[in-house]
Amino acid sequence: LIDEYKLMLKNIDLLFDTSKTPSSSLIAGNIVKTLTLLLEGSLDHKVRTIKRYYENVLIDYTEKPQNTRLKRSKHGLLAPIIEDIEQILKEKDDSERLIKKINTLQDTCKNWEKKREETLTELCKNSVDLFPKGSSILLYGYSDTVLKCIDHCLSQNEDIILNFYVCEVRSKTEYRYNNRLEFSDGLLNIQAIIELKNKYEEKKEKERIKITYLPDSGVSHLFSKKMVDKVILSINSFDYIGNASHTLGALTITDSAKKNKIPVYIITESLKRENTRKSLYKIINLDKSREKSWFTTDNEFVSILDNCTSFNPREDIIPCSNIEKFFTEVGSFSPKDIKKRFYN
């Protein structure tokens, strides 16, 4: 338990400012771990801490989302947990029913972590074919799930050599005062891949991972020269016809990939599917912009922007026609098979 508290304190800023958390899966994981810790002590303590956590953090994941990648109510990885908490908050003075619902929440958190671990294990197994020896892969957007799949692949085959091209993902870059870097999705991705590189090349003579970083604007040039053989993405969600949502820029990347006949593969948990038969174009607010400073905070130049409007939407929708295949924990599917597999 002490180790869990240390981990929570180390990542405290990620829990309360989700803009610094690079993926929806990590956000959900942090929240479940935090709730597990909060569900200790007396009944009164549990109710009070859950209520505060809901009002200060989880409210962004419910009816009026503000600053999170899990933007749709009752959606995705957190849906069962949100539902349990809302049931607890509806209870008044009936302690017996309250205890029962808190026990249900504890079981949900426990089962969530177990289910996610099992899901990732199967997902890693199912995605091995995406990483054959000598692959050159474009990565756009940090994904803990994709990184786990890469890790698994390298652990299973010592002969595999992978060549990664990592995009900056400029739309998510954030600056502190006077252009001090606050957050860079691309650098976070590179750092994680370097850790894998060190892990698998330690005490070995051969290079197993090669890393090239590039600006988002260089992707079409890269594709036109056939320097990569595939694009691999994780996503925020997908709908019943195989459209997928991702960070701004993903539409440009996948449009260019399609034009240059570079296949786009999606690695995702099936829990990220939308729970209604609605198109993402009718669910996601594509005009919702990021509020952080993504351009400049340099005092000498920032005044130039005073009379301008920033256009930096949070999400793109990748049309199903741009996607070659989805890889999930229950198998791989083309977009046209999504409806039959998940919505019947």
Side-chain angles (χ1 to χ4, degrees), residues 70-309:
L70 299 176
K71 287 179 284 300
R72 287 160 296 282
S73 173
K74 303 292 187 285
H75 164 72
L77 299 173
L78 286 176
I81 289 168
I82 295 289
E83 288 172 4
D84 284 353
I85 291 174
E86 288 177 341
Q87 287 298 313
I88 289 170
L89 297 180
K90 287 178 182 177
E91 288 297 331
K92 300 299 181 183
D93 302 319
D94 192 330
S95 59
E96 187 175 330
R97 290 178 61 181
L98 200 52
I99 291 171
K100 186 176 180 180
K101 290 186 177 181
I102 286 177
N103 288 338
T104 299
L105 175 60
Q106 288 177 311
D107 288 341
T108 301
C109 289
K110 182 179 179 180
N111 292 334
W112 187 95
E113 293 190 89
K114 182 181 177 183
K115 170 80 172 172
R116 178 123 210 284
E117 187 176 330
E118 292 171 350
T119 295
L120 287 174
T121 298
E122 293 305 311
L123 189 50
C124 287
K125 291 177 183 177
N126 292 339
S127 63
V128 166
D129 291 343
L130 277 177
F131 304 98
K133 183 178 180 179
S135 292
S136 289
I137 301 164
L138 181 89
L139 299 177
Y140 184 81
Y142 177 96
S143 167
D144 185 58
T145 302
V146 170
L147 289 165
K148 280 183 167 57
C149 290
I150 295 170
D151 190 355
H152 174 78
C153 176
L154 291 166
S155 71
Q156 297 300 301
N157 190 337
E158 292 186 358
D159 295 326
I160 286 180
I161 300 172
L162 299 174
N163 186 14
F164 293 107
Y165 288 85
V166 183
C167 291
E168 179 189 8
V169 192
R170 184 71 174 85
S171 65
K172 292 176 71 175
T173 302
E174 297 172 10
Y175 295 100
R176 297 198 301 269
Y177 169 73
N178 221 26
N179 276 13
R180 295 295 301 274
L181 190 63
E182 174 82 5
F183 179 83
S184 169
D185 186 285
L187 281 176
L188 198 67
N189 216 358
I190 291 168
Q191 182 180 31
I193 297 171
I194 287 174
E195 288 175 3
L196 289 177
K197 180 179 174 71
N198 293 338
K199 175 181 176 180
Y200 288 103
E201 293 179 5
E202 185 180 11
K203 298 179 181 179
K204 297 187 186 302
E205 295 181 359
K206 63 180 180 181
E207 187 177 36
R208 299 194 62 191
I209 295 178
K210 298 178 182 179
I211 307 167
T212 303
Y213 63 93
L214 72 157
D216 303 340
S217 56
V219 170
S220 289
H221 182 88
L222 191 78
F223 289 163
S224 68
K225 297 179 72 173
K226 305 300 180 187
M227 294 174 69
V228 298
D229 49 61
K230 61 174 71 74
V231 177
I232 293 180
L233 306 171
S234 189
I235 54 172
N236 296 335
S237 64
F238 63 93
D239 66 18
Y240 75 108
I241 57 175
N243 300 316
S245 65
H246 196 288
T247 301
L248 182 73
L251 178 58
T252 302
I253 300 292
T254 59
D255 276 347
S256 181
K258 182 181 179 182
K259 179 181 177 182
N260 288 280
K261 296 183 171 56
I262 307 290
V264 174
Y265 298 103
I266 304 296
I267 295 179
T268 185
E269 297 127 295
S270 62
L271 280 172
K272 289 189 177 181
R273 67 185 181 273
E274 290 292 342
N275 55 14
T276 62
R277 290 198 180 202
K278 287 184 179 179
S279 164
L280 285 175
Y281 293 97
K282 294 184 178 180
I283 297 172
I284 296 176
N285 178 7
L286 292 175
D287 296 322
K288 183 175 177 59
S289 290
R290 296 182 185 275
E291 299 174 359
K292 298 284 185 175
S293 298
W294 63 273
F295 195 172
T296 182
T297 57
D298 189 325
N299 288 337
E300 187 175 348
F301 298 102
V302 72
S303 61
I304 297 172
L305 304 175
D306 286 347
N307 295 316
C308 304
T309 301

Side-chain angles (χ1 to χ4, degrees), residues 240-242 320 323-327 331-342:
Y240 75 108
I241 57 175
C320 55
I323 298 170
E324 184 75 16
K325 191 172 282 190
F326 287 81
F327 284 77
S332 58
F333 312 93
S334 65
K336 65 182 177 62
D337 294 326
I338 291 292
K339 183 177 179 180
K340 180 180 179 181
R341 180 61 184 82
F342 295 109

